[in-house]
Amino acid sequence: MNEILNKKGFISDMDGVIYHGNRILDGVADFVKWLQDNDKEFVFLTNSSERTPHELSMKLARMGLDVDADHFYTSAMATAEFLSTQKPNCTAYVIGEAALTKALYDHKIYMNDVNPDYVVVGETRTYSFEKLEKAINLVRAGAKLIGTNPDITGPTEKGIMPATGALIAPIEIATGKKAYFVGKPNPLMLRHGLKKINCHSEEIAFIGDRMDTDIIAGIESNVDTVLVLSGVTSLEDIDLFPYRPKYIFKGIWELLK
């Protein structure tokens, strides 16, 4: 246990680790206070591309946690950073929310619905046949297909909603082109997180609640992995996978015991 607490930094998933919907999970307030009091480097990662870091900071504030926007990193930000290194000043046709568009703008990637370099898809509640048809034609014309994350579904206050993997599937089927997904389990996002907090892989622990996205991303990034059972994974589920986390806790509250 001391080995974890002596780490220089922590990278943590959010939904299922920090909160469920609009409810902070047990022990999270104490954990965040411990991070801040001990000058730990930390960042919260989310595969969702719907909210900006400022909006995520406000969400936690409504639940009683004071965490600055600098401590958040989203798949929208990772996607924008990836595209800007692949092709600086490129253009994109985007199916997604304003947070995704803003992240792209921040990296000088501008909107283009005529002959874009990329078609970028993230979570959205304004999906339509018209947008789908446009995206298919642009990919067929040569635009590269990018997904912010491969998640098929995502939890909301109203229940389960289709996520990026489900929204992008019709484009893949209609064009015969496979999307490249930037978010977890792609270790690229976790490596961006390491860069953000200026830590090396051996200096941090990565906390997540999913074996198929969080833990595999941590293993492939060569960081110590912590699985919490407060999200979607049960103790029995772990044996279904050919890899294991380094540490297993019922929830984040056990980390400080």
Side-chain angles (χ1 to χ4, degrees):
M1 181 69 70
N2 286 338
E3 182 183 348
I4 302 178
L5 298 183
N6 287 333
K7 292 286 188 182
K8 177 183 176 182
F10 292 82
I11 298 178
S12 176
D13 183 40
M14 295 185 68
D15 199 5
V17 179
I18 303 300
Y19 55 68
H20 276 315
N22 288 313
R23 178 176 63 87
I24 287 287
L25 294 175
D26 291 344
V28 169
D30 291 337
F31 179 63
V32 170
K33 186 176 187 302
W34 177 82
L35 291 172
Q36 295 168 335
D37 289 348
N38 289 274
D39 296 322
K40 298 292 184 179
E41 302 291 342
F42 69 96
V43 63
F44 294 129
L45 293 187
T46 175
N47 250 8
S48 173
S49 60
E50 287 187 279
R51 292 186 174 99
T52 65
H54 182 67
E55 288 167 339
L56 290 169
S57 175
M58 290 173 61
K59 177 181 172 75
L60 290 194
R62 289 192 294 271
M63 293 186 274
L65 284 183
D66 182 18
V67 181
D68 190 81
D70 287 342
H71 291 290
F72 298 92
Y73 193 74
T74 72
S75 65
M77 298 164 71
T79 299
E81 192 166 345
F82 169 72
L83 294 183
S84 69
T85 58
Q86 287 282 300
K87 190 170 185 177
N89 301 310
C90 59
T91 61
Y93 176 71
V94 177
I95 298 177
E97 296 297 313
L100 176 55
T101 304
K102 181 183 185 306
L104 294 169
Y105 271 128
D106 287 345
H107 282 79
K108 295 181 169 57
I109 299 168
Y110 301 112
M111 304 302 103
N112 179 351
D113 64 356
V114 178
N115 57 349
D117 299 297
Y118 298 97
V119 168
V120 181
V121 181
E123 286 90 0
T124 181
R125 288 173 171 78
T126 60
Y127 197 73
S128 68
F129 187 83
E130 181 182 0
K131 291 180 180 179
L132 176 61
E133 183 180 33
K134 171 70 83 172
I136 289 168
N137 287 330
L138 292 173
V139 171
R140 280 181 166 170
K144 304 297 188 292
L145 185 57
I146 302 291
T148 58
N149 66 78
D151 298 359
I152 302 298
T153 60
T156 71
E157 287 74 21
K158 297 179 181 178
I160 295 299
M161 69 168 279
T164 301
L167 303 181
I168 210 169
I171 304 172
E172 292 182 310
I173 294 168
T175 61
K177 303 290 185 181
K178 287 296 181 183
Y180 179 74
F181 294 102
V182 178
K184 299 173 296 180
N186 189 338
L188 185 67
M189 188 171 172
L190 193 51
R191 289 169 188 162
H192 284 172
L194 283 168
K195 182 180 176 183
K196 183 174 176 64
I197 61 175
N198 195 28
C199 288
H200 296 292
S201 56
E202 67 272 11
E203 295 178 313
I204 71 112
F206 179 49
I207 308 168
D209 73 313
R210 293 185 65 112
M211 290 289 290
D212 57 347
T213 56
D214 300 323
I215 300 306
I216 186 60
I219 289 171
E220 291 184 356
S221 300
N222 197 33
V223 303
D224 286 346
T225 51
V226 180
L227 176 72
V228 292
L229 305 178
S230 53
V232 300
T233 304
S234 69
L235 200 58
E236 294 74 26
D237 292 334
I238 298 170
D239 289 334
L240 301 176
F241 295 86
Y243 50 84
R244 293 182 67 84
K246 185 167 184 178
Y247 303 98
I248 303 169
F249 297 115
K250 292 177 183 177
I252 211 162
W253 66 87
E254 284 198 332
L255 207 61
L256 298 181
K257 275 188 176 179

